[in-house]
Amino acid sequence: MPRSPAPRATTTKPSGPPIGLIGAVVAFVVAVIAVLVYLAVRGDGLEATGSADTLPSGGGLVVNPDAPDDAVQVHVYEDFQCPFCGLLERSAGEGLFAAADTGDIELTYTFMSFLDPVSDDQSSSRAANAALCANDAGVFADWHAAAFAAQPEEGIGYPDAALTGFAEQAGLAGEELDAFTTCVSEQTYAAYVTDMQEAANQAGVSGTPTVEINGERLDNDELTRLQADPSSLTEIVEANQ
Amino acid sequence: MRPRLLDLVGLLARLLLGGVLLVAGWLKITDLTGSVQSVVAYDLFPYAVSQLIGSTLPVLELALGLLLALGLFTRVSAALGAGLMLVFVAGIASAWARGRSIDCGCFGTGGFVQPDQTAYLPEILRDLGLAAAGGWLAARPHTLASLDSLLRRGRAP
């Protein structure tokens, strides 16, 4: 319905809304969207529950929670899709888990997922979730070793079948394997995986691999040595404890 | 130069700065985890502030990019865009000066790179060039094919 004609006397006024009003509306809409995005990213804090041996508040998975109190604290931050994490694990992984077994160190892993976008299927998050499923099944160490031994080139990702295959390699079968497969396909620990990423960022970790020994971060040279020479582990742990 | 040619230069400056902002904003807003982490990697702010910047910066970039592409509020958008580029230059220079080995994260996930793979100087020069495009538009916002001209034309007298 056309409106009744406006009085002629207003012809000197511009037609349409004033430019200032348009500008204010644009600025308001942008501000509202920014606030919404911020609130979505901020989420609901670090409240999610992880698998059997995870620390609260996205603090990561403890490989050997029964370690003695005086064990050296070793905290590894990695993303299952990060090539240098693969180098590190294939070099120093065995030594780390052996030292955890003897109780020389208490080994903690935080699985980050910032490399999700390099694959089509959020492989970093899905592999991190599967690692926690493996913890519940009691085969984390073997699952983790199998995953990094077969790490695909960056961007190819881990299909669910591969994540389940590592569990079979780790010795799961029957009902245990079924439970693991369900945990993987339902992404049971997705919220905790998000919390691990956020907790790592809060701790200032913005790249992987990052290794902390008693809270001190290894420098680039030490990481490079660990990635190239498995025997450097003992010396580096001693030097930093 | 004739005004029409200067208007064309303005259009190109608008599309350049606006286009880069749109691409940068889009790559970040589709990967907000990476965007937040890229800000964390600068090690300049407490986490809560990095999170605020990492999540709202992409929205700001997209908005300024869209306004510049359309030529709406060209002077203000270009001035803000140029200011943003200068802030980025300061951030990159600070990372460089502190000897951090990071990617600027300008187009999505940044974070650590090998020390021999940093590209601080090209990143700074690129952002200075974009700031110059914004400065040109702030000084001379009249451009070809802009909503600003349409808005003005629709008004009496």
Side-chain angles (χ1 to χ4, degrees):
Chain A
M1 283 286 284
R3 287 187 301 169
S4 55
R8 285 279 162 196
T10 58
T11 43
T12 49
K13 279 195 175 175
S15 59
I19 290 184
L21 180 64
I22 304 177
V25 169
V26 168
F28 179 73
V29 169
V30 171
V32 166
I33 297 176
V35 168
L36 290 178
V37 171
Y38 169 66
L39 291 177
V41 166
R42 203 181 56 163
D44 53 1
L46 305 173
E47 303 278 318
T49 312
S51 57
D53 299 317
T54 51
L55 299 168
S57 305
L61 170 62
V62 184
V63 174
N64 53 331
D66 54 349
D69 288 344
D70 60 347
V72 180
Q73 299 292 317
V74 178
H75 197 144
V76 181
Y77 297 81
E78 62 192 14
D79 185 309
F80 278 100
Q81 294 199 89
C82 134
F84 285 98
C85 301
L87 275 184
L88 175 73
E89 284 299 333
R90 290 188 293 274
S91 166
E94 205 173 315
L96 282 170
F97 280 86
D101 261 350
T102 58
D104 291 338
I105 66 171
E106 182 174 69
L107 181 58
T108 307
Y109 274 98
T110 291
F111 299 110
M112 297 177 72
S113 40
F114 64 96
L115 289 176
D116 267 341
V118 305
S119 66
D120 301 331
D121 57 1
Q122 309 236 307
S123 269
S124 299
S125 291
R126 288 177 34 265
N129 172 68
L132 301 189
C133 302
N135 172 226
D136 278 347
V139 293
F140 171 72
D142 288 340
W143 186 91
H144 180 260
F148 273 108
Q151 188 190 35
E153 223 172 282
E154 192 176 28
I156 297 193
Y158 297 90
D160 276 2
L163 298 173
T164 313
F166 304 143
E168 288 178 68
Q169 285 179 50
L172 285 191
E175 276 181 26
E176 285 183 325
L177 185 60
D178 291 344
F180 177 88
T181 308
T182 308
C183 179
V184 166
S185 61
E186 289 183 353
Q187 296 207 50
T188 305
Y189 297 117
Y192 189 83
V193 168
T194 309
D195 284 2
M196 279 197 286
Q197 168 69 32
E198 181 163 355
N201 277 170
Q202 278 184 12
V205 176
S206 56
T208 53
T210 292
V211 178
E212 289 175 350
I213 297 181
N214 282 345
E216 289 291 311
R217 238 158 253 180
L218 295 192
D219 62 31
N220 231 337
D221 290 339
E222 289 170 315
L223 274 181
T224 309
R225 277 176 64 206
L226 272 184
Q227 283 159 7
D229 174 14
S231 67
S232 63
L233 176 65
T234 319
E235 191 188 320
I236 287 174
V237 168
E238 272 171 15
N240 284 279
Q241 72 186 44
Chain B
M1 276 201 280
R2 284 175 304 163
R4 187 129 182 106
L5 201 56
L6 292 174
D7 288 354
L8 178 65
V9 173
L11 173 65
L12 294 177
R14 247 177 56 207
L15 294 180
L16 177 69
L17 181 57
V20 169
L21 283 168
L22 279 175
V23 172
W26 178 253
L27 290 173
K28 290 195 193 85
I29 207 159
T30 51
D31 175 22
L32 285 165
T33 302
S35 176
V36 171
Q37 177 160 306
S38 302
V39 182
V40 171
Y42 281 87
D43 196 19
L44 283 171
F45 313 103
Y47 177 72
V49 179
S50 297
Q51 194 181 34
L52 180 67
I53 296 174
S55 55
T56 54
L57 177 64
V59 179
L60 182 63
E61 287 181 330
L62 282 174
L64 291 177
L66 196 61
L67 288 173
L68 283 167
L70 296 173
L72 184 59
F73 306 120
T74 304
R75 172 165 273 163
V76 175
S77 320
L80 289 173
L84 203 53
M85 291 302 152
L86 294 179
V87 170
F88 293 160
V89 167
I92 297 167
S94 128
W96 195 2
R98 286 174 296 149
R100 294 182 73 74
S101 324
I102 62 172
D103 174 279
C104 71
C106 306
F107 300 97
T109 305
F112 288 102
V113 296
Q114 295 299 302
D116 57 358
Q117 288 187 349
T118 54
Y120 293 123
L121 190 59
E123 288 169 353
I124 286 176
L125 292 178
R126 181 195 60 210
D127 286 358
L128 284 177
L130 292 167
W136 167 283
L137 288 167
R140 192 185 178 288
H142 194 267
T143 60
L144 284 183
S146 71
L147 278 186
D148 283 340
S149 339
L150 272 182
L151 268 183
R152 260 198 309 277
R153 204 174 305 154
R155 275 154 212 278

